[in-house]
C-alpha cells in the first residue's frame, strides 16, 4: 500500500502476440476504445495490457489482462521477455511476446464506464479495445503508442 501523500508509479503488463507470415513478422495490436481515441490512428494502438498492483506478479497480470482485454484465454507458448518501457504519462509497461495465431473476429473486448460527454452526469460503457488487428512491424510502428515501439524493435531483434 502506498503511504498517504506518496504517488505510486502506475504499472501495466501485457502480451504481444506475433506470427510469421509470407509478408514478414506481424503483431497483434488493439485500438483503444472510447471517445478520446475514436478518430485517432497514430498513437491509439496498444499491446493488450492493463494495470496491476505491486503485490501481483507482472507475468500473472499480463495473462489476466489479456483475458480481460480480449475475452480470450492467453495462448500457451514460449514467452519472450521484451522488458519494460516508461510511457510519456509515466506508466511503466512490461511486455512478453508469444508466437501464436488468433482470429481477431473471435475477440470479445472488455468494457469500461466513464462519464460522457464530460460534466453531463451521464455515464456510457465503451470497449477497452474497439478493434484488434494483425499489423506488419512497419505499420505497427506508425500507429502504436510511441514508447511501445521499443517492444517491436526488441521483438524484431529476437526474431532475426
Amino acid at each position: 500500500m502506498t503511504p498517504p501523500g506518496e504517488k505510486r508509479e502506475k504499472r501495466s503488463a501485457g502480451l504481444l502476440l506475433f506470427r510469421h507470415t509470407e509478408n514478414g513478422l506481424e503483431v497483434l495490436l488493439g485500438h483503444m476504445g472510447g471517445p478520446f481515441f475514436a478518430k485517432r490512428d497514430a498513437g491509439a494502438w496498444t499491446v493488450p495490457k492493463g494495470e496491476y498492483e505491486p503485490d501481483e506478479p507482472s507475468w500473472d497480470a499480463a495473462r489476466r489482462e489479456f483475458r480481460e482485454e480480449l475475452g480470450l484465454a492467453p495462448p500457451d507458448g514460449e514467452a519472450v521477455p521484451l522488458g519494460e518501457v516508461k510511457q510519456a504519462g509515466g506508466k511503466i509497461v512490461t511486455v512478453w511476446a508469444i508466437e501464436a495465431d488468433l482470429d481477431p473476429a473471435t475477440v470479445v473486448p472488455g468494457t469500461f464506464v466513464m462519464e460522457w460527454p464530460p460534466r453531463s452526469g451521464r455515464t456510457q460503457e465503451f470497449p477497452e479495445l474497439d478493434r484488434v488487428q494483425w499489423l506488419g512491424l512497419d505499420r505497427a510502428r506508425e500507429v502504436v503508442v510511441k514508447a511501445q515501439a521499443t517492444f517491436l524493435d526488441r521483438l524484431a531483434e529476437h526474431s532475426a
Side-chain angles (χ1 to χ4, degrees), residues 12 46 49 85-93 145 147-148 151:
S12 282
T46 183
K49 62 171 182 48
V85 299
K86 191 171 201 171
Q87 295 186 161
K91 183 184 289 182
I92 297 170
V93 180
V145 171
Q148 292 181 29
F151 297 131

